[in-house]
CSV table of all heavy atoms in Angstrom, one decimal:
chain,number,residue,atom,x,y,z
A,1,ALA,N,32.7,-67.3,-5.0
A,1,ALA,CA,31.5,-67.7,-5.8
A,1,ALA,C,30.9,-66.4,-6.4
A,1,ALA,O,30.4,-66.5,-7.5
A,1,ALA,CB,30.5,-68.4,-4.8
A,2,TRP,N,30.7,-65.4,-5.6
A,2,TRP,CA,30.0,-64.2,-6.1
A,2,TRP,C,31.0,-63.6,-7.3
A,2,TRP,O,30.4,-63.1,-8.2
A,2,TRP,CB,30.0,-63.1,-5.0
A,2,TRP,CG,29.4,-61.8,-5.3
A,2,TRP,CD1,28.0,-61.5,-5.4
A,2,TRP,CD2,30.0,-60.6,-5.8
A,2,TRP,NE1,27.8,-60.2,-5.9
A,2,TRP,CE2,29.0,-59.7,-6.3
A,2,TRP,CE3,31.4,-60.3,-6.0
A,2,TRP,CZ2,29.4,-58.4,-6.7
A,2,TRP,CZ3,31.8,-59.1,-6.5
A,2,TRP,CH2,30.7,-58.2,-6.9
A,3,ALA,N,32.2,-63.6,-7.0
A,3,ALA,CA,33.1,-63.0,-8.1
A,3,ALA,C,33.1,-63.8,-9.4
A,3,ALA,O,33.1,-63.2,-10.5
A,3,ALA,CB,34.6,-63.0,-7.6
A,4,GLU,N,32.9,-65.1,-9.3
A,4,GLU,CA,32.7,-66.0,-10.6
A,4,GLU,C,31.5,-65.7,-11.2
A,4,GLU,O,31.5,-65.5,-12.5
A,4,GLU,CB,32.8,-67.4,-10.1
A,4,GLU,CG,34.2,-67.9,-9.7
A,4,GLU,CD,35.1,-68.0,-10.8
A,4,GLU,OE1,34.9,-68.6,-11.7
A,4,GLU,OE2,36.2,-67.3,-10.7
A,5,ILE,N,30.4,-65.5,-10.5
A,5,ILE,CA,29.1,-65.1,-11.1
A,5,ILE,C,29.1,-63.8,-11.7
A,5,ILE,O,28.8,-63.6,-12.8
A,5,ILE,CB,28.0,-65.1,-9.9
A,5,ILE,CG1,27.8,-66.6,-9.5
A,5,ILE,CG2,26.7,-64.6,-10.5
A,5,ILE,CD1,26.9,-66.7,-8.2
A,6,GLU,N,29.7,-62.8,-11.0
A,6,GLU,CA,29.8,-61.5,-11.5
A,6,GLU,C,30.7,-61.4,-12.7
A,6,GLU,O,30.3,-60.8,-13.8
A,6,GLU,CB,30.5,-60.6,-10.5
A,6,GLU,CG,30.6,-59.1,-11.0
A,6,GLU,CD,31.5,-58.3,-10.3
A,6,GLU,OE1,32.7,-58.8,-9.9
A,6,GLU,OE2,31.3,-57.1,-10.1
A,7,HIS,N,31.7,-62.2,-12.8
A,7,HIS,CA,32.7,-62.2,-14.0
A,7,HIS,C,31.9,-62.8,-15.2
A,7,HIS,O,32.0,-62.4,-16.3
A,7,HIS,CB,33.9,-63.0,-13.6
A,7,HIS,CG,34.9,-63.1,-14.7
A,7,HIS,ND1,35.0,-64.1,-15.6
A,7,HIS,CD2,35.8,-62.2,-15.2
A,7,HIS,CE1,36.0,-64.0,-16.5
A,7,HIS,NE2,36.4,-62.7,-16.3
A,8,ASP,N,31.2,-64.0,-15.0
A,8,ASP,CA,30.6,-64.7,-16.1
A,8,ASP,C,29.4,-63.8,-16.7
A,8,ASP,O,29.1,-63.8,-17.8
A,8,ASP,CB,30.2,-66.1,-15.8
A,8,ASP,CG,31.3,-67.0,-15.6
A,8,ASP,OD1,32.4,-66.5,-16.1
A,8,ASP,OD2,31.2,-68.1,-15.0
A,9,LEU,N,28.6,-63.3,-15.7
A,9,LEU,CA,27.4,-62.6,-16.1
A,9,LEU,C,27.6,-61.2,-16.6
A,9,LEU,O,27.0,-60.8,-17.5
A,9,LEU,CB,26.3,-62.7,-15.0
A,9,LEU,CG,25.8,-64.0,-14.7
A,9,LEU,CD1,24.7,-63.8,-13.5
A,9,LEU,CD2,25.3,-64.8,-15.8
A,10,ILE,N,28.5,-60.5,-15.9
A,10,ILE,CA,28.6,-59.0,-16.2
A,10,ILE,C,29.8,-58.9,-17.2
A,10,ILE,O,29.7,-58.3,-18.2
A,10,ILE,CB,28.8,-58.2,-14.9
A,10,ILE,CG1,27.7,-58.4,-14.0
A,10,ILE,CG2,29.2,-56.7,-15.3
A,10,ILE,CD1,26.4,-58.0,-14.6
A,11,TYR,N,31.0,-59.3,-16.8
A,11,TYR,CA,32.2,-58.9,-17.5
A,11,TYR,C,32.4,-59.8,-18.8
A,11,TYR,O,32.9,-59.4,-19.8
A,11,TYR,CB,33.5,-59.0,-16.7
A,11,TYR,CG,33.5,-58.0,-15.6
A,11,TYR,CD1,33.1,-58.3,-14.3
A,11,TYR,CD2,33.9,-56.7,-16.0
A,11,TYR,CE1,33.1,-57.3,-13.3
A,11,TYR,CE2,33.9,-55.7,-15.0
A,11,TYR,CZ,33.6,-56.0,-13.7
A,11,TYR,OH,33.5,-55.0,-12.7
A,12,LYS,N,31.8,-61.0,-18.7
A,12,LYS,CA,31.8,-61.8,-20.0
A,12,LYS,C,30.5,-61.7,-20.7
A,12,LYS,O,30.2,-62.2,-21.7
A,12,LYS,CB,32.0,-63.2,-19.7
A,12,LYS,CG,33.4,-63.7,-19.5
A,12,LYS,CD,33.7,-65.1,-19.5
A,12,LYS,CE,35.1,-65.4,-19.4
A,12,LYS,NZ,35.4,-66.9,-19.4
A,13,ASN,N,29.6,-60.8,-20.1
A,13,ASN,CA,28.3,-60.5,-20.6
A,13,ASN,C,27.5,-61.8,-21.0
A,13,ASN,O,26.9,-61.9,-22.1
A,13,ASN,CB,28.4,-59.6,-21.9
A,13,ASN,CG,27.1,-58.9,-22.3
A,13,ASN,OD1,26.1,-59.0,-21.5
A,13,ASN,ND2,27.1,-58.3,-23.5
A,14,GLY,N,27.3,-62.5,-19.9
A,14,GLY,CA,26.6,-63.8,-20.0
A,14,GLY,C,25.1,-63.5,-20.3
A,14,GLY,O,24.3,-64.4,-20.7
A,15,PHE,N,24.6,-62.3,-20.0
A,15,PHE,CA,23.2,-61.8,-20.3
A,15,PHE,C,22.9,-61.7,-21.8
A,15,PHE,O,21.8,-61.6,-22.3
A,15,PHE,CB,22.8,-60.7,-19.6
A,15,PHE,CG,22.8,-60.9,-18.0
A,15,PHE,CD1,23.6,-60.2,-17.2
A,15,PHE,CD2,21.8,-61.7,-17.4
A,15,PHE,CE1,23.6,-60.2,-15.9
A,15,PHE,CE2,21.8,-61.9,-16.1
A,15,PHE,CZ,22.7,-61.1,-15.3
A,16,GLY,N,24.1,-61.4,-22.5
A,16,GLY,CA,24.0,-61.1,-24.0
A,16,GLY,C,23.3,-59.7,-24.1
A,16,GLY,O,22.6,-59.4,-25.0
A,17,ILE,N,23.6,-58.8,-23.2
A,17,ILE,CA,23.0,-57.5,-23.2
A,17,ILE,C,24.0,-56.5,-24.0
A,17,ILE,O,25.3,-56.4,-23.7
A,17,ILE,CB,22.8,-56.9,-21.8
A,17,ILE,CG1,21.9,-57.8,-21.1
A,17,ILE,CG2,22.3,-55.5,-21.8
A,17,ILE,CD1,21.9,-57.5,-19.6
A,18,ASN,N,23.4,-55.7,-25.0
A,18,ASN,CA,24.3,-54.7,-25.7
A,18,ASN,C,24.1,-53.3,-25.2
A,18,ASN,O,24.9,-52.4,-25.5
A,18,ASN,CB,23.9,-54.8,-27.1
A,18,ASN,CG,24.2,-56.1,-27.7
A,18,ASN,OD1,25.3,-56.7,-27.5
A,18,ASN,ND2,23.2,-56.6,-28.6
A,19,ASN,N,23.1,-53.1,-24.3
A,19,ASN,CA,22.8,-51.8,-23.8
A,19,ASN,C,23.7,-51.4,-22.6
A,19,ASN,O,23.6,-52.1,-21.6
A,19,ASN,CB,21.3,-51.7,-23.4
A,19,ASN,CG,20.9,-50.2,-23.0
A,19,ASN,OD1,21.6,-49.7,-22.2
A,19,ASN,ND2,19.9,-49.8,-23.6
A,20,GLU,N,24.7,-50.4,-22.8
A,20,GLU,CA,25.6,-50.1,-21.6
A,20,GLU,C,24.9,-49.7,-20.4
A,20,GLU,O,25.4,-50.0,-19.3
A,20,GLU,CB,26.5,-49.0,-22.1
A,20,GLU,CG,27.6,-49.4,-23.2
A,20,GLU,CD,28.5,-50.5,-22.6
A,20,GLU,OE1,28.9,-50.3,-21.4
A,20,GLU,OE2,29.0,-51.3,-23.4
A,21,LYS,N,23.8,-48.9,-20.4
A,21,LYS,CA,23.0,-48.5,-19.3
A,21,LYS,C,22.6,-49.7,-18.5
A,21,LYS,O,22.6,-49.7,-17.3
A,21,LYS,CB,21.9,-47.6,-19.6
A,21,LYS,CG,22.5,-46.1,-20.1
A,21,LYS,CD,21.4,-45.1,-20.4
A,21,LYS,CE,21.9,-43.8,-20.8
A,21,LYS,NZ,20.8,-42.9,-21.1
A,22,GLN,N,22.0,-50.6,-19.3
A,22,GLN,CA,21.5,-51.8,-18.6
A,22,GLN,C,22.7,-52.7,-17.9
A,22,GLN,O,22.4,-53.1,-16.9
A,22,GLN,CB,20.9,-52.7,-19.8
A,22,GLN,CG,19.6,-53.5,-19.1
A,22,GLN,CD,18.9,-54.2,-20.3
A,22,GLN,OE1,19.3,-54.0,-21.5
A,22,GLN,NE2,17.8,-54.8,-19.9
A,23,ILE,N,23.8,-52.8,-18.6
A,23,ILE,CA,24.9,-53.4,-17.9
A,23,ILE,C,25.2,-52.8,-16.8
A,23,ILE,O,25.5,-53.4,-15.7
A,23,ILE,CB,26.1,-53.5,-18.9
A,23,ILE,CG1,25.8,-54.5,-20.1
A,23,ILE,CG2,27.3,-54.0,-18.2
A,23,ILE,CD1,26.8,-54.4,-21.2
A,24,LEU,N,25.4,-51.4,-16.7
A,24,LEU,CA,25.7,-50.7,-15.4
A,24,LEU,C,24.7,-50.9,-14.4
A,24,LEU,O,25.1,-51.0,-13.2
A,24,LEU,CB,25.7,-49.2,-15.9
A,24,LEU,CG,26.2,-48.2,-14.7
A,24,LEU,CD1,27.6,-48.6,-14.3
A,24,LEU,CD2,26.2,-46.8,-15.2
A,25,ARG,N,23.4,-51.0,-14.8
A,25,ARG,CA,22.3,-51.2,-13.8
A,25,ARG,C,22.5,-52.5,-13.0
A,25,ARG,O,22.4,-52.7,-11.9
A,25,ARG,CB,21.0,-51.1,-14.4
A,25,ARG,CG,19.8,-51.1,-13.5
A,25,ARG,CD,18.6,-50.5,-14.0
A,25,ARG,NE,18.1,-51.3,-15.2
A,25,ARG,CZ,18.0,-50.8,-16.5
A,25,ARG,NH1,18.5,-49.6,-16.8
A,25,ARG,NH2,17.6,-51.5,-17.5
A,26,TYR,N,22.9,-53.6,-14.0
A,26,TYR,CA,23.1,-54.9,-13.4
A,26,TYR,C,24.3,-55.0,-12.5
A,26,TYR,O,24.4,-55.6,-11.5
A,26,TYR,CB,23.2,-55.9,-14.5
A,26,TYR,CG,21.9,-56.4,-15.0
A,26,TYR,CD1,21.5,-56.1,-16.3
A,26,TYR,CD2,20.9,-57.1,-14.2
A,26,TYR,CE1,20.3,-56.7,-16.8
A,26,TYR,CE2,19.7,-57.5,-14.6
A,26,TYR,CZ,19.3,-57.2,-16.0
A,26,TYR,OH,18.2,-57.6,-16.4
A,27,LYS,N,25.4,-54.2,-12.9
A,27,LYS,CA,26.5,-54.1,-11.9
A,27,LYS,C,26.2,-53.5,-10.6
A,27,LYS,O,26.7,-54.0,-9.6
A,27,LYS,CB,27.7,-53.2,-12.7
A,27,LYS,CG,28.4,-53.9,-13.8
A,27,LYS,CD,29.5,-52.9,-14.2
A,27,LYS,CE,30.3,-53.7,-15.4
A,27,LYS,NZ,31.3,-52.8,-15.9
A,28,LYS,N,25.4,-52.4,-10.7
A,28,LYS,CA,25.0,-51.9,-9.3
A,28,LYS,C,24.1,-52.9,-8.5
A,28,LYS,O,24.3,-52.9,-7.2
A,28,LYS,CB,24.1,-50.6,-9.6
A,28,LYS,CG,25.1,-49.4,-10.1
A,28,LYS,CD,24.2,-48.2,-10.3
A,28,LYS,CE,25.0,-47.1,-10.8
A,28,LYS,NZ,24.2,-45.7,-11.1
A,29,LYS,N,23.2,-53.6,-9.2
A,29,LYS,CA,22.5,-54.6,-8.5
A,29,LYS,C,23.4,-55.7,-7.8
A,29,LYS,O,23.2,-56.1,-6.7
A,29,LYS,CB,21.5,-55.1,-9.4
A,29,LYS,CG,20.3,-54.3,-9.8
A,29,LYS,CD,19.3,-55.0,-10.5
A,29,LYS,CE,18.0,-54.2,-10.7
A,29,LYS,NZ,16.9,-54.8,-11.6
A,30,MET,N,24.4,-56.2,-8.6
A,30,MET,CA,25.4,-57.2,-8.1
A,30,MET,C,26.0,-56.7,-6.9
A,30,MET,O,26.4,-57.4,-6.0
A,30,MET,CB,26.3,-57.5,-9.3
A,30,MET,CG,25.7,-58.3,-10.5
A,30,MET,SD,25.1,-60.0,-10.0
A,30,MET,CE,26.7,-60.8,-9.8
A,31,LYS,N,26.5,-55.4,-6.9
A,31,LYS,CA,27.3,-54.8,-5.8
A,31,LYS,C,26.4,-54.7,-4.6
A,31,LYS,O,26.8,-55.1,-3.5
A,31,LYS,CB,27.8,-53.4,-6.2
A,31,LYS,CG,28.6,-52.9,-5.1
A,31,LYS,CD,29.3,-51.5,-5.5
A,31,LYS,CE,30.1,-50.9,-4.4
A,31,LYS,NZ,30.7,-49.6,-4.8
A,32,LYS,N,25.1,-54.5,-4.8
A,32,LYS,CA,24.1,-54.4,-3.7
A,32,LYS,C,24.0,-55.7,-3.0
A,32,LYS,O,23.9,-55.9,-1.8
A,32,LYS,CB,22.9,-53.8,-4.2
A,32,LYS,CG,21.8,-53.4,-3.1
A,32,LYS,CD,20.5,-52.8,-3.7
A,32,LYS,CE,19.5,-52.5,-2.6
A,32,LYS,NZ,18.4,-51.9,-3.2
A,33,ILE,N,23.9,-56.7,-3.9
A,33,ILE,CA,23.7,-58.1,-3.5
A,33,ILE,C,25.0,-58.5,-2.6
A,33,ILE,O,24.9,-59.1,-1.5
A,33,ILE,CB,23.5,-59.1,-4.6
A,33,ILE,CG1,22.3,-59.0,-5.3
A,33,ILE,CG2,23.7,-60.5,-4.0
A,33,ILE,CD1,22.1,-59.6,-6.6
A,34,LEU,N,26.1,-58.1,-3.0
A,34,LEU,CA,27.4,-58.4,-2.3
A,34,LEU,C,27.3,-57.8,-0.9
A,34,LEU,O,27.5,-58.4,0.2
A,34,LEU,CB,28.6,-58.0,-3.1
A,34,LEU,CG,29.9,-58.2,-2.3
A,34,LEU,CD1,30.2,-59.7,-2.2
A,34,LEU,CD2,31.0,-57.4,-3.0
A,35,THR,N,27.0,-56.5,-0.9
A,35,THR,CA,27.0,-55.7,0.3
A,35,THR,C,25.9,-56.1,1.3
A,35,THR,O,26.2,-56.3,2.5
A,35,THR,CB,26.8,-54.1,0.0
A,35,THR,OG1,27.8,-53.7,-1.0
A,35,THR,CG2,26.8,-53.3,1.3
A,36,ASN,N,24.8,-56.3,0.8
A,36,ASN,CA,23.7,-56.6,1.7
A,36,ASN,C,23.5,-58.0,2.1
A,36,ASN,O,22.9,-58.4,3.2
A,36,ASN,CB,22.3,-56.2,1.0
A,36,ASN,CG,22.2,-54.8,0.8
A,36,ASN,OD1,22.9,-53.9,1.4
A,36,ASN,ND2,21.2,-54.3,0.0
A,37,TYR,N,24.1,-59.0,1.3
A,37,TYR,CA,23.8,-60.3,1.6
A,37,TYR,C,25.2,-61.1,1.8
A,37,TYR,O,25.4,-61.8,2.8
A,37,TYR,CB,23.0,-61.0,0.6
A,37,TYR,CG,21.6,-60.5,0.3
A,37,TYR,CD1,21.4,-59.6,-0.7
A,37,TYR,CD2,20.7,-60.7,1.4
A,37,TYR,CE1,20.2,-59.0,-0.9
A,37,TYR,CE2,19.5,-60.0,1.2
A,37,TYR,CZ,19.3,-59.2,0.1
A,37,TYR,OH,17.9,-58.6,0.0
A,38,ILE,N,26.0,-61.1,0.8
A,38,ILE,CA,27.3,-61.9,0.9
A,38,ILE,C,28.2,-61.5,2.0
A,38,ILE,O,28.7,-62.4,2.7
A,38,ILE,CB,28.0,-61.9,-0.5
A,38,ILE,CG1,27.1,-62.3,-1.6
A,38,ILE,CG2,29.3,-62.8,-0.5
A,38,ILE,CD1,26.6,-63.7,-1.6
A,39,GLN,N,28.5,-60.2,2.1
A,39,GLN,CA,29.4,-59.8,3.1
A,39,GLN,C,28.8,-60.0,4.5
A,39,GLN,O,29.5,-60.4,5.4
A,39,GLN,CB,29.7,-58.2,2.9
A,39,GLN,CG,30.7,-58.0,1.8
A,39,GLN,CD,31.0,-56.6,1.6
A,39,GLN,OE1,30.1,-55.7,2.0
A,39,GLN,NE2,32.0,-56.3,0.9
């Protein structure tokens, strides 16, 4: 479930974000969610 969300929102850019730094920031937040909650 987490991978599907990450793929659609980050790698398919479901946020519609064009700023690379902002995308990187969201990637870090997603990884933190996985580590702190999902795992």
Side-chain angles (χ1 to χ4, degrees):
W2 181 87
E4 289 291 302
I5 292 169
E6 184 199 39
H7 182 263
D8 286 347
L9 294 184
I10 302 297
Y11 292 99
K12 283 192 173 181
N13 198 8
F15 291 117
I17 300 168
N18 297 318
N19 187 306
E20 288 295 326
K21 288 184 178 179
Q22 209 171 4
I23 291 173
L24 183 61
R25 187 160 63 247
Y26 278 116
K27 282 184 180 181
K28 288 180 179 178
K29 284 186 177 181
M30 292 289 287
K31 184 175 180 180
K32 189 175 180 180
I33 290 169
L34 177 70
T35 303
N36 292 345
Y37 301 103
I38 304 297
Q39 289 180 335

